[in-house]
Amino acid sequence: MTGIDTLVVEDLSVTFATERGAARAVRGVSFSVGAGATLALVGESGSGKTVTARSILRLHDPATSVVTGRILLDGTDLLPLPEREMHRVRGSAVSMIFQDPMTSLNPLMRAGEQVAEVFRVRKGMPRERAREASRALFARVGISDPARRFEQFPHEFSGGMLQRVMILIAVAAGPRLMIADEPTTSLDVTVQAQILRLVDSLRSDLGMSVLLVTHDMGIVAEHAAGIAVMYGGRIVESGPTAAVLARPFHPYTEGLLDAIPRSGSRGSRLRTIEGTPPGVFEVTTPCAFAPRCRYRQPGCDREIPPLVVHSDGRRVACARCAELDLKGAL
């Protein structure tokens, strides 16, 4: 850990109790988010991204889940905190934007009142002052006619406007860390760009850190300084975004980038990653990606590849990484 990291996750594992037995959704994940920086947590559906993100706020049911490791927020481990203290952390020190704002907002409560509630509960503001602060935030994020919009219900908003309201709820208390879980899901490209620019602007203005959960590598390239790639519940590659995207070291990262359409490639066939991601009961080899890897060798079945630090500062979990890089294969 360094003095400039807002969040440090160390050896995080999450296991759920199911009728089929123990489901290991996250397996020894470690990463950090620098102060005022954005880290993108990337991977296909089922890789463990959302489970990891929700673990930071301890949103899993303790009766059916076991979470181990350390989650340090400005040096304080969140996992052993009493629930009463953790309740104060949620929404104040750490906030979260969920994938679907329509299901996250109260349909029976005016949108503006849902933002004002944060000011009242977290900041202790009187009702009218909280309403004024909320209307000012509405204007700050580009919601036209904020006084009228404040009084409307969620069903009267478009998807992009609903996501703006969710962002306002997330930042109203001035959190040190905001977790954005697929914040542009189901939005058109133009609105996606607007929402992500808004998140960037608020991050800069408020000095907060952002953990951006996404499967879209294009979003990562434009909005995240660092990247951590997940597969099968583990981090397989992490490092500065520019370095990882320019020259991926892990075969899975390479596969994700190869599947992105590029200008000038119209009519040509994209390279795909054969097979499907493993479920939580289906990781049968030490390297979860081995069954889909075109570089697989017998040695890949012997042990779990550790995250090895390379000369440019990135970490890669691949037994053949150095060999393949020397041969120019990656």
Side-chain angles (χ1 to χ4, degrees), residues 110-313:
R110 299 181 192 279
E113 292 294 352
Q114 296 188 56
V115 179
E117 184 177 47
V118 180
F119 286 112
R120 293 199 307 271
V121 174
R122 301 296 181 181
K123 296 291 188 180
M125 287 186 182
R127 176 182 172 82
E128 207 41 56
R129 186 181 169 196
R131 289 169 63 89
E132 291 175 4
S134 300
R135 284 191 286 266
L137 275 184
F138 269 55
R140 165 69 179 80
V141 300
I143 295 178
S144 59
D145 197 356
R148 180 176 64 88
R149 286 293 197 177
F150 181 96
E151 301 295 339
Q152 291 182 324
F153 290 92
H155 73 270
E156 298 178 87
F157 286 72
S158 67
M161 287 296 180
L162 282 174
Q163 198 59 284
R164 283 178 170 83
V165 174
M166 283 296 300
I167 291 171
L168 294 185
I169 292 172
V171 304
R176 299 194 294 278
L177 172 70
M178 181 170 71
I179 302 168
D181 186 7
E182 301 278 7
T184 57
T185 297
S186 74
L187 300 179
D188 65 51
V189 176
T190 301
V191 178
Q192 283 185 23
Q194 293 171 353
I195 293 298
L196 290 167
R197 283 198 298 270
L198 173 60
V199 171
D200 284 345
S201 175
L202 291 170
R203 175 191 57 76
S204 178
D205 291 350
L206 301 175
M208 66 180 177
S209 304
V210 175
L211 177 63
L212 176 62
V213 178
T214 183
H215 63 273
D216 189 328
M217 296 296 263
I219 287 176
V220 174
E222 293 186 26
H223 299 281
I227 182 173
V229 181
M230 285 194 75
Y231 187 85
R234 292 193 175 98
I235 301 290
V236 295
E237 182 166 6
S238 64
T241 298
V244 173
L245 298 188
R247 191 183 180 202
F249 282 1
H250 195 280
Y252 177 59
T253 312
E254 179 193 38
L256 290 178
L257 293 173
D258 283 346
I260 299 175
R262 290 175 172 78
S263 59
S265 62
R266 184 174 181 178
S268 60
R269 186 172 181 176
L270 294 175
R271 179 190 290 177
T272 61
I273 303 175
E274 298 297 329
T276 58
V280 290
F281 300 105
E282 298 169 349
V283 177
T284 57
T285 57
C287 174
F289 188 62
R292 304 175 72 191
C293 183
R294 62 194 180 103
Y295 304 118
R296 181 180 183 178
Q297 293 291 325
C300 297
D301 296 331
R302 293 174 189 157
E303 60 183 16
I304 298 173
L307 275 169
V308 176
V309 181
H310 287 256
S311 57
D312 64 355

